[in-house]
Amino acid sequence: MSSRASYDLIEDEEEEEEKSVNPTEVKMSQIVMPCHCNHRQDLSVGQLLKWIDSTACLSAERQAGSPCVTASMDDIHFEHTISVGQVVNIRAKVNRAFNTSMEVGIQVSCEDLFSDRHWRVCHAYATFVTQRTNTGKRVALRPIVPHTQKEQVEYSVAAERRRVRMVHDDIIKNLLISGSIQQADRSLECNTVVAEKTKVESVELVLPPHANHQVNTFGGQIMAWMVNVATIAASRLCQAHPTLQTIDMFTFRGPSQVGDRLLLRAIVNNAFKNSMEVGVRAEAYREEGPNRHINSAFMTFEVLDDSGKPCPLPQIRPEPHEGERRFQEAIARKKIRLDRKYIISRKQSEVPLSVPWDPTNQVYLSFNNVSALKMLAAKNNWRLSTEKDEVCLYTVEQKSMLSFRVEAVVDVPAHRAFCLLAELSNRTSWDTHYKKCELIHRVDDDDLIYRVVTPSVHQDAVASPTSSNQGERILQDFILLASKRKPCSSGDPYVIALRSVSLPSYPPFDGYNRGEVLCAGFTILETKNNMSLISYYNQASPEVLPYISTDIAGLSSSFYHTFCSCSHYLAKNRLQPAF
């Protein structure tokens, strides 16, 4: 955690939450005492993790009505320090319940009692599962009903986060297989620290105070012990007091109980210019029987100077074989952290439009694509601008962005409408704004990249439904990532999300103005009588307003004619193969 002077105010979020009480919400407030702190009198991360895990577990158990255990924790980035005498406020609530697992969102803030300041420390997403019953089965969970806009967004995007968790390990493997990870630089051996020097091994006996009400070791306690040995390993490299900045996503592989011995091993895997990654492994054992792998975690440390800026670090010389593997995997995880920060963690308005696509960031671009559309759809301040024959045009304007939504109920089953609309190449048959659409890269079954060509835009015509950068009297083209998702559970819509990406093999062409799409796409929701509510969304910049203002003002019905054309296309092909 770094101590910076700037503070993030959180009152706006709290005001929205006060309007609706979530039955799974649990709040914990702790005043930081000297016994909770490190040598700098800052709250130790290990203690904070204990509090986070306890609060999140109580929230999960409110939803489940039965004992729960921590299954995994997503990346945690610590933004600020917490000092003695300050108050830690932790709020946890279940974002979404799946069949036997649930995602719990955790917000951690700090309060200075003497200055009445509040600031954000970190946020996290934890996955909890119910304990197995005597029959060996887990308790089936009740669904969550979101009430506020924020809860609706978290509920919707939770399905995408779950998808990313499931492929996290595969992403690292693919990075290593691709050969893009460098080997250890042997030319620097004389200026490096041997990795063996940073090794730490420690044993902890699990006693009743370390266990929860189910007599299993607290997940937060295990994480606290892991932070302890990781800090020692980092200190041996830098010969200073390191600061923990980030804990990567990790999964608990099994439980441990009172009476177990936990063997904790840590080593510095790699050192970069201003940061280092420490790997930690936890194993449980008894006097008899083999060691059980409980957890592995990867933590990023920095050494901060008096002004809070990171200091340069010595390089690490990995051990042969296993050490070199850990060295290379650390580089892959750093790449993933940068991708997540660049593509996912930034606010939607800060994300550059055409992010370069490559196989190593495809998961995060796809996540951003789908979650952006879900967040746009979840906004609660849409206004009805005009309506004709039950085809409705809604708008919402926030800051510099104008967004619009066109929707109507169509007499086509939702799954058929999804299949037909997801095949973007067919859009030229019903949308006059699509002059050409060609598939240029099939990433996988759910993500495809198209090149779309639209005609020139005139002042009296509606803008291209995907355009956010208009040209006059020349053709425009777009390189679009189309991400399609089927419902995760009953009540979810089908989703077809569109956003711009850039491909080195498809640079801007002469005679075309390269347009960009921040967020566009369809949601398709099954309604009664086997019909579908189809909604088309587009998030456009202010310069597009003149092209669609006639529609918004009700002076034109081009949106209506386009949507009618779409409806006729769906009805005509409702019984035909989609491809």
Side-chain angles (χ1 to χ4, degrees), residues 14-148:
E14 291 181 344
E15 285 178 6
E16 181 187 22
E17 297 303 320
E18 290 299 326
K19 296 176 184 177
S20 177
V21 177
N22 187 309
T24 70
E25 183 172 7
V26 173
K27 297 181 180 180
M28 176 187 288
S29 293
Q30 297 277 358
I31 191 164
V32 178
M33 307 297 288
C35 61
H36 302 140
C37 294
N38 57 26
H39 59 283
R40 291 190 297 267
Q41 297 301 295
D42 290 331
L43 174 65
S44 73
V45 174
Q47 181 61 61
L48 178 58
L49 290 171
K50 289 184 190 179
W51 290 337
I52 287 174
D53 186 63
S54 297
T55 312
C57 183
L58 292 173
S59 175
E61 291 185 345
R62 275 193 179 180
Q63 171 63 19
S66 65
C68 296
V69 293
T70 314
S72 67
M73 188 80 72
D74 287 6
D75 300 356
I76 308 176
H77 178 73
F78 302 100
E79 301 177 30
H80 299 286
T81 56
I82 306 172
S83 302
V84 170
Q86 294 176 335
V87 174
V88 179
N89 295 310
I90 304 173
R91 303 168 65 190
K93 61 181 177 181
V94 178
N95 290 331
R96 182 161 187 166
F98 299 96
N99 186 20
T100 59
S101 68
M102 68 198 96
E103 179 190 276
V104 180
I106 307 116
Q107 294 282 349
V108 182
S109 61
C110 185
E111 175 184 357
D112 190 310
L113 297 173
F114 303 103
S115 63
D116 195 31
R117 290 183 300 180
H118 297 74
W119 60 95
R120 189 166 26 244
V121 175
C122 67
H123 74 271
Y125 297 102
T127 301
F128 281 80
V129 294
T130 55
Q131 285 277 55
R132 296 188 184 278
T133 63
N134 294 333
T135 62
K137 297 182 179 179
R138 297 192 187 276
V139 176
L141 297 170
R142 306 185 309 273
I144 287 286
V145 179
H147 297 288
T148 67

Side-chain angles (χ1 to χ4, degrees), residues 176 181-186 193-199 266-272 277-279 298 315-333:
L176 296 171
I181 305 302
Q182 69 186 61
Q183 300 291 324
D185 190 348
R186 299 301 181 191
V193 174
V194 178
E196 185 80 18
K197 182 181 176 182
T198 70
K199 271 188 176 179
I267 190 170
V268 176
N269 291 331
N270 205 335
F272 306 99
E277 182 196 273
V278 179
F298 303 97
Q315 298 298 299
I316 198 81
R317 189 197 316 166
E319 306 164 270
H321 308 302
E322 279 298 300
E324 291 191 3
R325 177 187 62 79
R326 292 193 298 266
F327 182 92
Q328 293 172 24
E329 287 180 354
I331 299 173
R333 280 185 290 270

Side-chain angles (χ1 to χ4, degrees), residues 517-528:
V517 178
L518 179 60
C519 176
F522 294 91
T523 63
I524 305 163
L525 186 65
E526 185 177 349
T527 63
K528 61 182 180 180

Side-chain angles (χ1 to χ4, degrees), residues 168-242:
H168 180 70
D169 291 341
D170 291 336
I171 297 171
I172 296 176
K173 291 177 184 177
N174 291 337
L175 274 173
L176 296 171
I177 293 172
S178 69
S180 59
I181 305 302
Q182 69 186 61
Q183 300 291 324
D185 190 348
R186 299 301 181 191
S187 65
L188 300 175
E189 287 192 359
C190 59
N191 300 316
T192 58
V193 174
V194 178
E196 185 80 18
K197 182 181 176 182
T198 70
K199 271 188 176 179
V200 181
E201 186 173 302
S202 180
V203 176
E204 299 284 353
L205 175 62
V206 180
L207 299 172
H210 305 138
N212 58 22
H213 49 298
Q214 306 154 38
V215 201
N216 289 326
T217 316
F218 268 120
Q221 179 63 70
I222 296 173
M223 289 187 279
W225 283 333
M226 296 174 80
V227 169
N228 178 55
V229 293
T231 303
I232 296 172
S235 300
R236 289 180 175 174
L237 175 72
C238 61
Q239 296 184 328
H241 295 300

